[in-house]
Amino acid sequence: MEIQSYQNQAELLLKEYLLADSFIPYTSVICGICACKMVYDLTQLFSSVYFKSYLMLSKVQRNEWNNRSISTVHAIFITVMSLYFVFWSDLFSDHRYAGLIMFRSSALSTFSLGVSVGYFLADIGMITWFYPSLGGMEYVIHHFLSVAAVAYSMLTGEGQLYTFMVLISETTTPGINLRWYLDTAGMKRSRAYLINGVVIFVTWLVARILLFMYLFYHVYLHYDQVTQVHSYGILLIFVVPLVLSVMNLLWFGKIIRGLRKTLAKRQ
Protein backbone atom coordinates (compact mmCIF):
# COMPACT_ATOMS: atom_id res chain seq x y z
CA MET A 1 0.00 0.00 0.00
CA GLU A 2 2.81 2.42 0.88
CA ILE A 3 4.63 1.63 -2.39
CA GLN A 4 1.43 2.23 -4.36
CA SER A 5 0.92 5.52 -2.54
CA TYR A 6 4.43 6.71 -3.40
CA GLN A 7 3.91 5.65 -7.01
CA ASN A 8 0.69 7.61 -7.24
CA GLN A 9 2.34 10.68 -5.75
CA ALA A 10 5.23 10.38 -8.23
CA GLU A 11 2.83 10.11 -11.17
CA LEU A 12 0.88 13.11 -9.89
CA LEU A 13 4.11 15.15 -9.57
CA LEU A 14 5.12 14.17 -13.11
CA LYS A 15 1.77 14.93 -14.76
CA GLU A 16 0.63 17.97 -12.78
CA TYR A 17 3.95 19.76 -12.39
CA LEU A 18 7.00 18.54 -14.32
CA LEU A 19 5.11 17.86 -17.58
CA ALA A 20 2.41 20.51 -17.18
CA ASP A 21 2.36 22.96 -20.09
CA SER A 22 3.47 25.86 -17.87
CA PHE A 23 6.45 23.90 -16.52
CA ILE A 24 7.62 22.22 -19.74
CA PRO A 25 10.05 25.04 -20.73
CA TYR A 26 11.86 24.87 -17.39
CA THR A 27 11.75 21.07 -17.12
CA SER A 28 13.13 20.68 -20.63
CA VAL A 29 16.01 23.11 -20.04
CA ILE A 30 17.01 21.22 -16.91
CA CYS A 31 16.77 17.94 -18.84
CA GLY A 32 19.02 19.38 -21.54
CA ILE A 33 21.68 20.47 -19.05
CA CYS A 34 21.55 17.13 -17.19
CA ALA A 35 21.78 15.25 -20.50
CA CYS A 36 24.94 17.20 -21.38
CA LYS A 37 26.51 16.25 -18.05
CA MET A 38 25.56 12.61 -18.52
CA VAL A 39 26.96 12.44 -22.07
CA TYR A 40 30.19 14.15 -20.92
CA ASP A 41 30.72 11.62 -18.12
CA LEU A 42 29.79 8.61 -20.27
CA THR A 43 32.14 9.77 -23.04
CA GLN A 44 34.96 10.17 -20.55
CA LEU A 45 34.35 6.68 -19.14
CA PHE A 46 33.81 4.96 -22.49
CA SER A 47 36.75 6.65 -24.23
CA SER A 48 39.22 5.90 -21.42
CA VAL A 49 38.34 2.18 -21.68
CA TYR A 50 37.97 1.63 -25.44
CA PHE A 51 40.24 4.29 -27.01
CA LYS A 52 43.89 4.04 -26.03
CA SER A 53 44.69 7.28 -27.85
CA TYR A 54 42.30 9.13 -25.51
CA LEU A 55 44.61 8.63 -22.53
CA MET A 56 47.52 10.02 -24.55
CA LEU A 57 45.75 13.31 -25.19
CA SER A 58 46.42 16.44 -23.19
CA LYS A 59 43.85 17.61 -20.65
CA VAL A 60 42.67 20.34 -23.04
CA GLN A 61 42.23 17.81 -25.86
CA ARG A 62 40.32 15.41 -23.60
CA ASN A 63 37.96 18.22 -22.60
CA GLU A 64 37.36 19.04 -26.25
CA TRP A 65 36.90 15.34 -27.06
CA ASN A 66 34.17 15.10 -24.42
CA ASN A 67 32.63 18.43 -25.39
CA ARG A 68 32.34 17.41 -29.03
CA SER A 69 30.49 14.25 -28.07
CA ILE A 70 27.89 16.42 -26.33
CA SER A 71 27.45 18.63 -29.40
CA THR A 72 27.17 15.54 -31.62
CA VAL A 73 24.40 13.97 -29.52
CA HIS A 74 22.55 17.30 -29.35
CA ALA A 75 22.93 17.80 -33.11
CA ILE A 76 21.44 14.37 -33.87
CA PHE A 77 18.53 14.96 -31.48
CA ILE A 78 17.61 18.47 -32.60
CA THR A 79 18.13 17.69 -36.30
CA VAL A 80 15.68 14.78 -36.12
CA MET A 81 13.12 16.87 -34.22
CA SER A 82 13.56 19.89 -36.52
CA LEU A 83 13.20 17.85 -39.71
CA TYR A 84 10.08 16.26 -38.26
CA PHE A 85 8.41 19.56 -37.37
CA VAL A 86 9.42 21.40 -40.56
CA PHE A 87 8.78 18.72 -43.19
CA TRP A 88 6.63 15.91 -41.73
CA SER A 89 4.50 17.25 -38.91
CA ASP A 90 1.21 18.99 -39.70
CA LEU A 91 1.75 21.47 -36.87
CA PHE A 92 3.08 24.18 -39.19
CA SER A 93 1.12 23.22 -42.30
CA ASP A 94 -0.62 26.04 -44.18
CA HIS A 95 -3.69 23.91 -44.79
CA ARG A 96 -4.25 21.48 -41.91
CA TYR A 97 -4.80 23.86 -38.98
CA ALA A 98 -6.57 27.17 -38.51
CA GLY A 99 -4.70 30.11 -37.09
CA LEU A 100 -1.41 31.78 -37.88
CA ILE A 101 1.70 29.65 -38.36
CA MET A 102 3.74 32.12 -36.35
CA PHE A 103 1.85 31.34 -33.14
CA ARG A 104 1.62 27.56 -33.37
CA SER A 105 3.37 25.30 -30.88
CA SER A 106 2.90 22.03 -29.03
CA ALA A 107 4.17 20.42 -25.85
CA LEU A 108 6.66 18.34 -27.86
CA SER A 109 7.95 21.28 -29.92
CA THR A 110 8.41 23.39 -26.77
CA PHE A 111 10.16 20.53 -24.96
CA SER A 112 12.53 19.99 -27.91
CA LEU A 113 13.49 23.66 -27.95
CA GLY A 114 14.00 23.60 -24.17
CA VAL A 115 16.45 20.71 -24.45
CA SER A 116 18.33 22.72 -27.06
CA VAL A 117 18.42 25.78 -24.78
CA GLY A 118 19.84 23.58 -22.03
CA TYR A 119 22.57 22.37 -24.38
CA PHE A 120 23.53 25.89 -25.51
CA LEU A 121 23.68 27.10 -21.91
CA ALA A 122 25.87 24.16 -20.89
CA ASP A 123 28.13 24.65 -23.89
CA ILE A 124 28.45 28.40 -23.24
CA GLY A 125 29.52 27.53 -19.71
CA MET A 126 32.18 25.12 -20.97
CA ILE A 127 33.42 27.48 -23.68
CA THR A 128 33.71 30.31 -21.15
CA TRP A 129 35.41 28.11 -18.53
CA PHE A 130 38.00 26.70 -20.95
CA TYR A 131 38.21 29.80 -23.19
CA PRO A 132 39.65 29.90 -25.81
CA SER A 133 40.51 26.19 -26.16
CA LEU A 134 36.94 25.13 -27.07
CA GLY A 135 36.26 28.01 -29.44
CA GLY A 136 36.87 31.69 -30.04
CA MET A 137 34.59 34.69 -29.86
CA GLU A 138 32.65 33.62 -32.96
CA TYR A 139 31.40 30.55 -31.07
CA VAL A 140 30.40 32.67 -28.09
CA ILE A 141 28.44 35.04 -30.36
CA HIS A 142 26.85 32.10 -32.18
CA HIS A 143 25.70 30.48 -28.93
CA PHE A 144 24.35 33.68 -27.36
CA LEU A 145 22.33 34.41 -30.50
CA SER A 146 21.06 30.84 -30.46
CA VAL A 147 20.05 31.01 -26.80
CA ALA A 148 18.26 34.34 -27.30
CA ALA A 149 16.28 33.10 -30.30
CA VAL A 150 15.51 29.57 -29.13
CA ALA A 151 14.61 30.61 -25.58
CA TYR A 152 12.27 33.35 -26.83
CA SER A 153 10.52 30.93 -29.18
CA MET A 154 10.28 28.32 -26.42
CA LEU A 155 8.81 30.69 -23.82
CA THR A 156 6.40 32.59 -26.07
CA GLY A 157 5.52 29.93 -28.66
CA GLU A 158 6.17 32.48 -31.41
CA GLY A 159 8.09 31.68 -34.58
CA GLN A 160 8.87 28.08 -33.65
CA LEU A 161 8.77 27.07 -37.32
CA TYR A 162 11.65 29.39 -38.20
CA THR A 163 13.53 28.34 -35.07
CA PHE A 164 13.40 24.70 -36.18
CA MET A 165 14.45 25.71 -39.71
CA VAL A 166 17.57 27.35 -38.31
CA LEU A 167 18.27 24.40 -35.99
CA ILE A 168 18.35 22.03 -38.97
CA SER A 169 21.76 23.59 -39.59
CA GLU A 170 23.02 21.45 -36.68
CA THR A 171 23.09 18.66 -39.29
CA THR A 172 26.65 19.72 -40.07
CA THR A 173 27.92 19.31 -36.49
CA PRO A 174 28.58 15.52 -36.47
CA GLY A 175 30.70 15.82 -39.61
CA ILE A 176 32.69 18.74 -38.22
CA ASN A 177 33.30 16.82 -35.00
CA LEU A 178 34.28 13.64 -36.87
CA ARG A 179 36.83 15.70 -38.80
CA TRP A 180 38.38 16.80 -35.50
CA TYR A 181 38.39 13.23 -34.15
CA LEU A 182 40.09 11.90 -37.30
CA ASP A 183 42.66 14.70 -37.19
CA THR A 184 43.38 14.09 -33.51
CA ALA A 185 43.73 10.34 -34.15
CA GLY A 186 46.35 11.03 -36.85
CA MET A 187 44.09 10.02 -39.75
CA LYS A 188 44.26 13.28 -41.68
CA ARG A 189 45.55 11.55 -44.83
CA SER A 190 43.01 8.72 -44.71
CA ARG A 191 40.20 8.12 -47.19
CA ALA A 192 37.70 8.55 -44.34
CA TYR A 193 39.00 12.08 -43.76
CA LEU A 194 38.54 12.95 -47.44
CA ILE A 195 35.03 11.47 -47.63
CA ASN A 196 34.08 13.29 -44.44
CA GLY A 197 35.30 16.56 -45.98
CA VAL A 198 33.07 16.08 -49.01
CA VAL A 199 30.10 15.23 -46.77
CA ILE A 200 30.72 18.39 -44.72
CA PHE A 201 30.77 20.46 -47.93
CA VAL A 202 27.46 19.02 -49.16
CA THR A 203 25.62 19.18 -45.83
CA TRP A 204 26.87 22.72 -45.17
CA LEU A 205 25.73 23.86 -48.61
CA VAL A 206 22.26 22.36 -48.12
CA ALA A 207 21.64 22.99 -44.39
CA ARG A 208 23.40 26.33 -43.88
CA ILE A 209 23.23 28.04 -47.27
CA LEU A 210 20.28 26.80 -49.35
CA LEU A 211 18.00 26.18 -46.36
CA PHE A 212 18.58 29.72 -45.07
CA MET A 213 17.65 31.04 -48.52
CA TYR A 214 14.42 29.03 -48.27
CA LEU A 215 13.84 30.44 -44.77
CA PHE A 216 14.06 34.04 -46.02
CA TYR A 217 11.74 33.15 -48.91
CA HIS A 218 9.24 31.63 -46.47
CA VAL A 219 9.40 34.79 -44.33
CA TYR A 220 8.68 36.84 -47.45
CA LEU A 221 5.62 34.71 -48.27
CA HIS A 222 4.29 34.98 -44.71
CA TYR A 223 5.38 38.56 -44.06
CA ASP A 224 1.84 39.56 -43.01
CA GLN A 225 2.00 36.99 -40.22
CA VAL A 226 5.56 37.85 -39.20
CA THR A 227 4.59 41.49 -38.59
CA GLN A 228 2.03 40.37 -35.99
CA VAL A 229 4.74 38.98 -33.72
CA HIS A 230 6.04 41.11 -30.85
CA SER A 231 8.81 43.57 -31.76
CA TYR A 232 11.53 41.52 -30.07
CA GLY A 233 10.36 38.44 -31.97
CA ILE A 234 10.46 40.28 -35.29
CA LEU A 235 13.99 41.43 -34.48
CA LEU A 236 15.08 37.86 -33.80
CA ILE A 237 13.38 36.49 -36.93
CA PHE A 238 15.26 38.93 -39.16
CA VAL A 239 18.55 39.61 -37.35
CA VAL A 240 19.55 36.17 -36.01
CA PRO A 241 19.20 34.25 -39.33
CA LEU A 242 20.91 37.13 -41.16
CA VAL A 243 23.91 37.18 -38.79
CA LEU A 244 24.14 33.38 -38.83
CA SER A 245 23.96 33.43 -42.64
CA VAL A 246 26.98 35.74 -42.80
CA MET A 247 28.89 33.52 -40.37
CA ASN A 248 27.88 30.42 -42.35
CA LEU A 249 29.19 31.97 -45.57
CA LEU A 250 32.50 32.84 -43.92
CA TRP A 251 32.88 29.33 -42.51
CA PHE A 252 31.82 27.85 -45.87
CA GLY A 253 34.72 29.68 -47.47
CA LYS A 254 37.08 28.04 -44.99
CA ILE A 255 35.54 24.63 -45.72
CA ILE A 256 36.09 25.09 -49.46
CA ARG A 257 39.71 26.13 -48.93
CA GLY A 258 40.30 23.17 -46.60
CA LEU A 259 38.76 20.71 -49.05
CA ARG A 260 40.85 22.09 -51.90
CA LYS A 261 43.99 21.74 -49.80
CA THR A 262 43.11 18.14 -48.89
CA LEU A 263 42.43 17.21 -52.53
CA ALA A 264 45.67 18.87 -53.65
CA LYS A 265 47.72 16.84 -51.16
CA ARG A 266 46.21 13.59 -52.44
CA GLN A 267 47.12 14.29 -56.08
Side-chain angles (χ1 to χ4, degrees):
M1 292 294 291
E2 291 183 1
I3 295 176
Q4 185 65 37
S5 176
Y6 285 126
Q7 183 178 352
N8 292 336
Q9 292 180 18
E11 291 178 355
L12 181 64
L13 174 65
L14 187 66
K15 293 179 180 179
E16 298 296 330
Y17 293 97
L18 296 181
L19 294 182
D21 288 346
S22 58
F23 283 91
I24 284 179
Y26 312 104
T27 304
S28 57
V29 171
I30 294 173
C31 287
I33 295 174
C34 292
C36 289
K37 172 61 176 173
M38 182 181 69
V39 172
Y40 186 94
D41 291 340
L42 288 176
T43 300
Q44 193 172 32
L45 177 63
F46 182 84
S47 300
S48 61
V49 174
Y50 294 100
F51 294 97
K52 295 181 179 180
S53 57
Y54 178 80
L55 299 175
M56 301 173 62
L57 300 176
S58 65
K59 184 177 180 180
V60 172
Q61 287 178 316
R62 288 199 296 271
N63 287 330
E64 185 166 1
W65 180 293
N66 301 335
N67 176 267
R68 286 181 180 274
S69 69
I70 297 174
S71 64
T72 298
V73 172
H74 166 261
I76 294 172
F77 166 77
I78 200 60
T79 296
V80 170
M81 299 308 297
S82 298
L83 288 171
Y84 167 73
F85 282 116
V86 173
F87 296 110
W88 286 289
S89 173
D90 292 330
L91 180 62
F92 301 111
S93 173
D94 283 317
H95 310 292
R96 296 299 295 272
Y97 291 102
L100 302 180
I101 293 177
M102 296 302 302
F103 298 98
R104 293 182 194 171
S105 64
S106 68
L108 181 59
S109 66
T110 300
F111 184 87
S112 300
L113 294 179
V115 171
S116 195
V117 170
Y119 158 73
F120 283 119
L121 290 175
D123 207 36
I124 287 175
M126 291 193 66
I127 291 174
T128 303
W129 185 263
F130 296 107
Y131 189 84
S133 62
L134 294 182
M137 187 54 62
E138 68 273 14
Y139 286 94
V140 176
I141 294 173
H142 172 273
H143 277 32
F144 271 114
L145 287 174
S146 299
V147 167
V150 178
Y152 177 84
S153 184
M154 172 194 67
L155 292 170
T156 64
E158 295 180 359
Q160 288 196 1
L161 172 61
Y162 296 134
T163 304
F164 282 117
M165 282 188 184
V166 172
L167 287 173
I168 292 176
S169 63
E170 288 294 309
T171 305
T172 61
T173 299
I176 296 294
N177 288 340
L178 179 58
R179 180 179 181 274
W180 183 89
Y181 285 127
L182 291 172
D183 189 10
T184 303
M187 300 176 63
K188 199 169 184 177
R189 292 185 176 276
S190 66
R191 181 180 295 272
Y193 190 87
L194 176 62
I195 295 174
N196 182 66
V198 175
V199 172
I200 291 174
F201 171 82
V202 174
T203 55
W204 197 284
L205 176 63
V206 174
R208 291 185 180 260
I209 306 298
L210 298 180
L211 184 62
F212 273 68
M213 294 171 62
Y214 173 73
L215 185 152
F216 291 126
Y217 176 68
H218 195 281
V219 170
Y220 169 76
L221 293 179
H222 297 81
Y223 184 76
D224 57 328
Q225 295 190 29
V226 173
T227 55
Q228 297 188 44
V229 176
H230 290 88
S231 299
Y232 183 69
I234 295 176
L235 180 67
L236 290 176
I237 289 174
F238 284 103
V239 173
V240 173
L242 183 61
V243 173
L244 292 179
S245 295
V246 173
M247 297 175 71
N248 288 337
L249 287 171
L250 293 175
W251 284 328
F252 190 53
K254 293 182 179 180
I255 291 172
I256 294 175
R257 290 193 293 272
L259 184 59
R260 284 179 175 176
K261 186 182 297 184
T262 300
L263 291 173
K265 289 181 179 180
R266 296 184 64 86
Q267 291 179 351

